[in-house]
């Protein structure tokens, strides 16, 4: 800018300053000076505009990512640790229910006997006992024996009937010799269960028949029989 001003100043001084044209030359120099000033202003404006554009071009864009240094430490992402599974608490064992037996709230314990009547010293005897099985049943046990003095027989068949149900049996052979002491020879034993409602009196018909088919004490005997009805308060 100073360079151009100096040139203008020198140009003006170089103009001739003679005679009547001095005033005209002064006016002319003034016009030239003003024109040069305007040119300098225009040049200064153009230079300022060019400098601003250059600065704009060199400024970093806002949207651009800033350069990262190669030495920057990378971000470490923590590795998730596995969550420990909860330990299941075992359920307490439930004790197995106790199965109660069928109720037996009554007490029955009765016994007795009945026998045959052959008119001789050879007779059959039934010894019985009744106990409570539960509140709806009774247990009947029968023991059959043959009373006699001297006797010798082989196995013989027989039948016991309880409440209309027959139970067959075969007695063992008997060999006994004494006229002074009576002998009681076992024939069979039987145990059966009979219905008996709680609190009711129960009548149990029992009949026994044994095949003898022989002579004893001078009397012919075919079958020896005995029967009775056992009554029990249930």
């Amino acid at each position: 800018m100073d360079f151009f001003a100096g040139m203008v100043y020198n140009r003006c001084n170089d103009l001739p300053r003679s005679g009547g044209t001095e005033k005209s030359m002064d006016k002319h120099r003034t016009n030239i000076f003003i024109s040069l000033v305007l040119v300098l202003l225009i040049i200064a404006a153009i230079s300022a505009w060019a400098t601003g554009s250059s600065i704009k071009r060199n400024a970093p864009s806002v949207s651009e990512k800033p350069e990262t240094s190669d030495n920057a430490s990378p971000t470490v992402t923590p590795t998730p640790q596995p969550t420990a599974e909860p330990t299941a608490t075992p359920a307490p064992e439930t004790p197995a229910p106790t199965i109660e037996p069928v109720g037996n709230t009554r007490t029955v314990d009765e016994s007795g006997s009945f026998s045959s009547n052959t008119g001789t010293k050879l007779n059959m005897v039934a010894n019985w006992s009744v106990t409570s099985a539960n509140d709806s049943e009774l247990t009947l046990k029968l023991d059959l024996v043959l009373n006699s003095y001297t006797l010798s027989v082989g196995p013989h068949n027989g039948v016991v009937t309880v409440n209309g149900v027959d139970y067959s049996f075969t007695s063992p052979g008997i060999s006994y010799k004494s006229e002074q002491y009576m002998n009681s020879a076992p024939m069979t034993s039987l145990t059966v269960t009979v219905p008996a409602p709680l609190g009711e009196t129960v009548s149990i018909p029992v009949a026994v028949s044994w095949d003898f088919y022989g002579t004893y004490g001078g009397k012919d005997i075919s079958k020896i029989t005995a029967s009775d009805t056992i009554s029990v308060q249930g």
Side-chain angles (χ1 to χ4, degrees):
M1 292 288 292
D2 293 339
F3 172 77
F4 285 108
M7 287 181 65
V8 172
Y9 178 77
N10 293 331
R11 188 70 177 171
C12 290
N13 289 333
D14 291 339
L15 293 175
R17 299 179 181 179
S18 62
T21 62
E22 184 177 352
K23 289 183 179 180
S24 178
M25 293 299 293
D26 290 338
K27 185 177 181 181
H28 181 69
R29 284 194 297 268
T30 301
N31 290 334
I32 292 173
F33 178 80
I34 292 172
S35 298
L36 290 174
V37 170
L38 290 175
V39 170
L40 292 175
L41 289 175
I42 292 171
I43 291 172
I46 293 172
S47 176
W49 176 83
T51 303
S53 298
S54 176
I55 292 172
K56 258 186 177 180
R57 283 195 302 270
N58 294 332
S61 176
V62 175
S63 61
E64 291 181 2
K65 290 185 179 180
E67 294 184 2
T68 57
S69 174
D70 294 338
N71 297 328
S73 300
T75 303
V76 178
T77 304
T79 303
Q81 297 298 322
T83 304
E85 296 183 359
T87 303
T89 302
E93 294 184 0
T94 303
T98 302
I99 301 175
E100 298 291 339
V102 179
N104 187 7
T105 59
R106 64 183 174 187
T107 301
V108 177
D109 188 4
E110 298 187 24
S111 61
S113 64
F114 58 92
S115 65
S116 63
N117 185 7
T118 62
T120 66
K121 293 181 180 181
L122 176 67
N123 283 290
M124 182 173 56
V125 179
N127 297 307
W128 60 265
S129 65
V130 176
T131 56
S132 176
N134 49 59
D135 284 349
S136 60
E137 293 176 318
L138 295 176
T139 300
L140 170 64
K141 182 179 180 181
L142 286 171
D143 292 317
L144 300 180
V145 296
L146 185 64
N147 289 340
S148 70
Y149 288 93
T150 300
L151 179 64
S152 181
V153 295
H156 288 272
N157 295 326
V159 177
V160 178
T161 304
V162 179
N163 265 351
V165 180
D166 293 338
Y167 301 91
S168 300
F169 69 94
T170 299
S171 64
I174 301 171
S175 179
Y176 179 74
K177 185 176 182 180
S178 176
E179 295 296 332
Q180 185 176 359
Y181 301 103
M182 180 176 284
N183 179 45
S184 295
M187 302 174 70
T188 191
S189 292
L190 177 68
T191 300
V192 296
T193 301
V194 295
L198 182 64
E200 296 185 9
T201 300
V202 180
S203 296
I204 308 170
V206 180
V208 183
S209 175
W210 183 63
D211 298 335
F212 178 66
Y213 295 105
T215 300
Y216 191 86
K219 185 177 181 180
D220 292 334
I221 303 172
S222 57
K223 290 179 178 288
I224 299 177
T225 59
S227 62
D228 195 7
T229 298
I230 302 172
S231 296
V232 179
Q233 177 61 43

